[in-house]
């Protein structure tokens, strides 16, 4: 019942370790700490009552991967480890292709050598590029608008090709919409270094007084209130979606892709309002220009995951805001205040 969790100390991977533990699996975390803190292990121990095994190593290190497979013989890999900042990927494309594409390739080669044939992959709704229709179904054509997005498209392609060549292999690509919120304990949550790129952590840091106001990027989109619309999904719903996918498909093979979203879109102003209600205070914001590369709206058709995995989300935007706020107030500067450069 051991699962190797790459990137398991990061935002989504750490929440998934809790869901795995609750479902009776034993996560073994493999992370190089490039965007996380080893203190997450202590927090997970407080939540789960058990200290998970942790290997501090890089995906790009084949020897460390080989040793991890030899020592733990995991029945599957949940692969979260990646770099994820869209703007940074435009500035440093080769670093992103190296880490995310070559890292995934390395992992797959070591899985093949070790005879481990099941992978759950963190994909993203970014693989749909500019939506041609909404809601987004898994059949929507794939593409990307930045190097980060291409790393996800390329990794999915590798998985499809491998499944074709190696009939016993199972690869499940989970295409996340916009993960938000935190574990209800408030002991772990999203802990970005420097200035957050994503909306909810930015709003949370504004609510707690670390930022003076939220810049709302664009007020003239063709959406009900003119601001961007996204499908925010609670990180614990997302985590449970991984476990559902694995439990449902673990005895199958081939490539499978699923959207993990709520199916509902909310605007920037709706998110700010939900957070104000959760925090019990006004959150200052100012309208500014559209952010280059942003799309007006994105939300999932979540029907395939419901039909084939029996999984649906449980938490709404208000709950995401409440849980994010609890984490933010308990750890206003994250678990490693020294990481908080600005
Ligand atoms: P995160 O940065 O919090 O977690 C990623 C973890 O992977 C970190 O702990 C980091 O230290 C580790 N890591 C990165 N490169 C590594 C390497 N070469 N070797 C070992 N460890 C490495 O990010 P997250 O938000 O938890 O995202 C997890 C996954 O989900 C990523 O693949 C990301 O692309 C994908 N995703 C995230 C979002 C989002 O908005 N957060 C949306 C869609 C998809
Ligand atoms: C949400 C909305 C912004 C910040 C990104 C990646 C995507 C995926 C998830 C990994 C948009 C607006 C934001 C701010 C704002 N990651 N906004 N002020 O852009 O949907 O997706 O993260 O796979 O690949 O592109 O998420 O949280 O950045 O933005 O007004 O300070 O909030 O314009 O409408 P996005 P986001």
């Amino acid at each position: 019942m051991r699962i190797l969790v790459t990137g398991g100390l990061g935002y989504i991977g750490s929440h998934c370790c809790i869901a795995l533990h609750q479902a009776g699996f034993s996560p073994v975390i493999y992370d190089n700490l490039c965007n996380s803190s080893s203190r997450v292990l202590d927090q997970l121990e407080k939540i789960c009552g058990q200290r998970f095994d942790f290997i501090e190593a890089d995906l790009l290190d084949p020897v460390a991967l080989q040793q991890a497979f030899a020592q733990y013989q995991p029945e599957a890999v949940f692969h979260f480890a990646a770099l994820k900042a869209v703007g940074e990927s435009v500035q440093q494309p080769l670093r992103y292709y190296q880490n995310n594409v070559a890292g995934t390739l390395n992992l797959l080669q070591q899985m093949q050598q070790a005879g481990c044939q099941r992978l759950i992959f963190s994909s993203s709704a970014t693989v749909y590029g500019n939506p041609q229709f909404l809601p987004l179904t898994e059949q929507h054509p794939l593409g990307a608008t930045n190097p980060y997005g291409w790393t996800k498209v390329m990794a999915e392609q590798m998985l499809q090709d491998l499944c074709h060549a190696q009939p016993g292999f199972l690869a499940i690509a989970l295409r996340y919409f916009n993960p938000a919120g935190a574990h209800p304990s408030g002991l772990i949550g999203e802990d970005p270094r420097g200035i957050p790129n994503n909306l909810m952590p930015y709003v949370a840091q504004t609510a707690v007084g670390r930022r003076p106001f939220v810049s709302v990027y664009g007020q003239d989109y063709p959406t009900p209130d003119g601001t961007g619309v996204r499908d925010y999904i609670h990180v614990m719903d997302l985590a449970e979606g991984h476990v559902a996918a694995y439990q449902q498909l673990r005895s199958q093979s081939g490539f499978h892709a699923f959207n993990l979203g709520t199916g509902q879109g909310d605007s920037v102003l709706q998110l700010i309002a939900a957070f104000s209600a959760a925090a019990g205070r006004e959150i200052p914001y100012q309208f500014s220009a559209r952010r280059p590369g942003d799309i007006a709206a994105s939300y999932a058709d979540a029907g395939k995951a419901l039909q084939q995995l029996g999984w649906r989300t449980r938490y709404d935007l208000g709950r995401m805001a409440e849980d994010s706020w609890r984490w933010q107030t308990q750890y206003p500067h994250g678990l490693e205040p020294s990481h908080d450069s600005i």
Side-chain angles (χ1 to χ4, degrees), residues 35-193:
N35 197 36
S36 54
S37 160
S38 59
R39 284 199 58 203
V40 172
L41 269 184
D42 306 330
Q43 305 296 85
L44 289 173
E45 189 174 356
K46 287 181 205 161
I47 295 166
C48 298
Q50 190 186 322
R51 193 160 188 92
F52 298 138
D53 284 359
F54 169 49
I55 303 161
E56 183 180 345
D58 200 297
L59 269 185
L60 294 163
D61 180 346
V63 176
L65 273 175
Q66 197 178 17
Q67 283 171 353
F69 283 108
Q71 184 178 351
Y72 290 100
Q73 311 213 329
E75 61 173 68
V77 178
F78 281 35
H79 176 33
F80 296 93
L83 299 173
K84 63 166 181 176
V86 170
E88 190 180 64
S89 81
V90 175
Q91 304 302 321
Q92 303 173 31
L94 300 185
R95 183 169 162 238
Y96 272 68
Y97 289 118
Q98 173 81 355
N99 197 76
N100 296 4
V101 181
T104 301
L105 176 63
N106 212 16
L107 174 67
L108 293 172
Q109 285 169 333
Q110 293 307 322
M111 286 179 73
Q112 207 171 33
Q113 277 198 10
C116 180
Q117 299 220 96
R118 300 187 187 109
L119 181 85
I120 308 275
F121 175 65
S122 295
S123 190
S124 166
T126 196
V127 299
Y128 299 124
N130 282 317
Q132 294 172 17
F133 56 82
L134 290 170
L136 287 155
T137 65
E138 288 82 356
Q139 278 76 44
H140 187 284
L142 301 191
T145 55
N146 55 71
Y148 166 75
W150 283 116
T151 70
K152 294 294 177 191
V153 176
M154 289 177 187
E156 282 204 17
Q157 188 63 48
M158 283 198 289
L159 297 179
Q160 286 205 47
D161 293 342
L162 178 60
C163 288
H164 184 71
Q166 191 177 312
F169 201 90
L170 169 70
I172 307 173
L174 299 178
R175 297 175 179 159
Y176 313 159
F177 279 69
N178 288 61
H183 188 262
S185 64
L187 291 170
I188 57 170
E190 195 169 5
D191 192 2
R193 296 185 183 187

Side-chain angles (χ1 to χ4, degrees), residues 140-289:
H140 187 284
L142 301 191
T145 55
N146 55 71
Y148 166 75
W150 283 116
T151 70
K152 294 294 177 191
V153 176
M154 289 177 187
E156 282 204 17
Q157 188 63 48
M158 283 198 289
L159 297 179
Q160 286 205 47
D161 293 342
L162 178 60
C163 288
H164 184 71
Q166 191 177 312
F169 201 90
L170 169 70
I172 307 173
L174 299 178
R175 297 175 179 159
Y176 313 159
F177 279 69
N178 288 61
H183 188 262
S185 64
L187 291 170
I188 57 170
E190 195 169 5
D191 192 2
R193 296 185 183 187
I195 301 173
N197 297 308
N198 294 116
L199 181 62
M200 190 166 280
Y202 202 101
V203 170
Q205 291 191 4
T206 307
V208 85
R210 281 176 60 185
R211 316 269 164 213
F213 61 88
V214 179
S215 294
V216 176
Y217 299 142
Q219 57 177 322
D220 58 352
Y221 283 111
T223 59
D225 67 17
T227 67
V229 164
R230 296 293 184 274
D231 184 339
Y232 297 96
I233 172 171
H234 195 292
V235 66
M236 284 312 299
D237 276 331
L238 189 62
E240 281 154 21
H242 288 67
V243 176
Y246 183 60
Q247 285 178 323
Q248 207 57 38
L249 299 175
R250 68 200 286 199
S251 56
Q252 297 190 26
S253 60
F255 177 82
H256 308 261
F258 293 95
N259 288 338
L260 294 187
T262 64
Q264 173 168 338
D266 286 298
S267 73
V268 176
L269 295 183
Q270 283 174 308
L271 186 147
I272 293 174
F275 214 101
S276 291
R281 58 184 73 176
E282 280 305 305
I283 295 171
Y285 64 86
Q286 292 180 8
F287 289 107
S288 69

